[in-house]
Amino acid sequence: MSEASTRTLLVRFARSLFERGYSVGSAGNISVAVEDGLLITPTNSCLGFLDEARISKLDREGRHISGDAPSKEVFLHRAFYETRPGTGAVVHLHSTYATALSCLPELDPQDGIAPLTPYVVMRVGKVPVLPYVRPGDPAMGDMIRQLQGACAAVLLANHGPVVSGKDLSSTVYAAEELEETAKLLFLLRDRQPRLLTPAQVEELGRAFAKP
Ligand code: 13P
């Protein structure tokens, strides 16, 4: 896909996420790999009102080469590209339910999203919970690198979800799946939902490729 088409698609998906309430204000950021580097949403921009021409572009070494100043979470995005070969996009949101979940101290740090439905297992996989650091702290990149590419998504404690994937559409869909699963977990909080068994999770892994 040409860079021009990628810019158009990035603006369209970002607006769609904003209009459906997956991001508010200037929260969240999205990056997409292009042939000679990375496109990333500008810092303090609203996902609902991006301008294709002002999207930040970084070269392969992470230097800002055009557009507005990049998201302060660039470290976080680059860590996924560096550790997961084949990564084509990264989406970070402050979506309500996943962020609410990220504030619960009892979450399993190895996997903050219980295997409630097949789609969250297939599209998102295990979601480690990373300790809180301030937004834009390069330490976040280090924590993601320490996972050595084992997981496509993480929850940043008291902050929100980050999802990576092979291209923009599948990454956005996975971020939506994660948010909706977090919502289901809250809806079912006072019940005792049946979770998929390890054997069922394993079967999904065999039958469907993970992101
Ligand atoms: P940026 O505006 O720098 O992208 O940061 C927004 C955000 O979501 C911080 O986590």
Side-chain angles (χ1 to χ4, degrees):
M1 189 188 290
S2 70
E3 183 176 319
S5 308
T6 303
R7 284 175 183 263
T8 305
L9 204 62
L10 173 48
V11 170
R12 196 179 291 169
F13 269 114
R15 187 171 60 227
S16 166
L17 286 168
F18 179 79
E19 287 176 347
R20 291 177 296 133
Y22 287 93
S23 77
V24 296
S26 65
N29 30 73
I30 302 177
S31 67
V32 191
V34 288
E35 208 183 341
D36 54 349
L38 198 66
L39 298 177
I40 186 162
T41 50
T43 189
N44 299 324
S45 59
C46 172
L47 294 191
F49 299 92
L50 294 173
D51 176 344
E52 284 180 32
R54 294 177 61 179
I55 289 172
S56 309
K57 184 170 180 181
L58 309 182
D59 66 14
R60 286 172 183 277
E61 278 68 50
R63 289 182 293 244
H64 179 216
I65 51 174
S66 65
D68 290 350
S71 168
K72 66 175 95 54
E73 305 292 23
V74 66
F75 305 103
L76 170 76
H77 289 249
R78 293 193 74 229
F80 274 104
Y81 293 98
E82 282 169 26
T83 54
R84 287 184 60 86
T87 296
V90 176
V91 173
H92 166 50
L93 299 172
H94 296 178
S95 51
T96 310
Y97 288 90
T99 304
L101 207 61
S102 80
C103 299
L104 296 178
E106 71 265 22
L107 281 192
D108 175 0
Q110 310 294 323
D111 190 4
I113 302 279
L116 196 56
T117 66
Y119 257 58
V120 78
V121 173
M122 288 154 55
R123 299 286 187 247
V124 185
K126 275 196 192 311
V127 184
V129 184
L130 301 183
Y132 176 82
V133 293
R134 67 159 171 79
D137 188 330
M140 231 185 249
D142 299 335
M143 288 195 281
I144 287 166
R145 270 186 287 274
Q146 276 165 21
L147 297 173
Q148 300 183 324
C151 298
V154 297
L155 272 183
L156 309 173
N158 297 70
H159 186 164
V162 191
V163 179
S164 67
K166 68 177 179 3
D167 55 31
L168 183 57
S169 58
S170 62
T171 308
V172 168
Y173 301 156
E176 293 178 19
E177 194 64 45
L178 197 162
E179 172 63 9
E180 296 309 310
T181 306
K183 190 179 194 170
L184 292 175
L185 289 168
F186 276 99
L187 282 173
L188 293 166
R189 194 178 34 176
D190 299 326
R191 317 284 296 264
Q192 287 182 329
R194 180 189 318 108
L195 298 178
L196 298 190
T197 64
Q200 288 166 336
V201 169
E202 201 183 299
E203 184 203 7
L204 291 167
R206 268 184 275 117
F208 303 99
K210 287 234 176 89

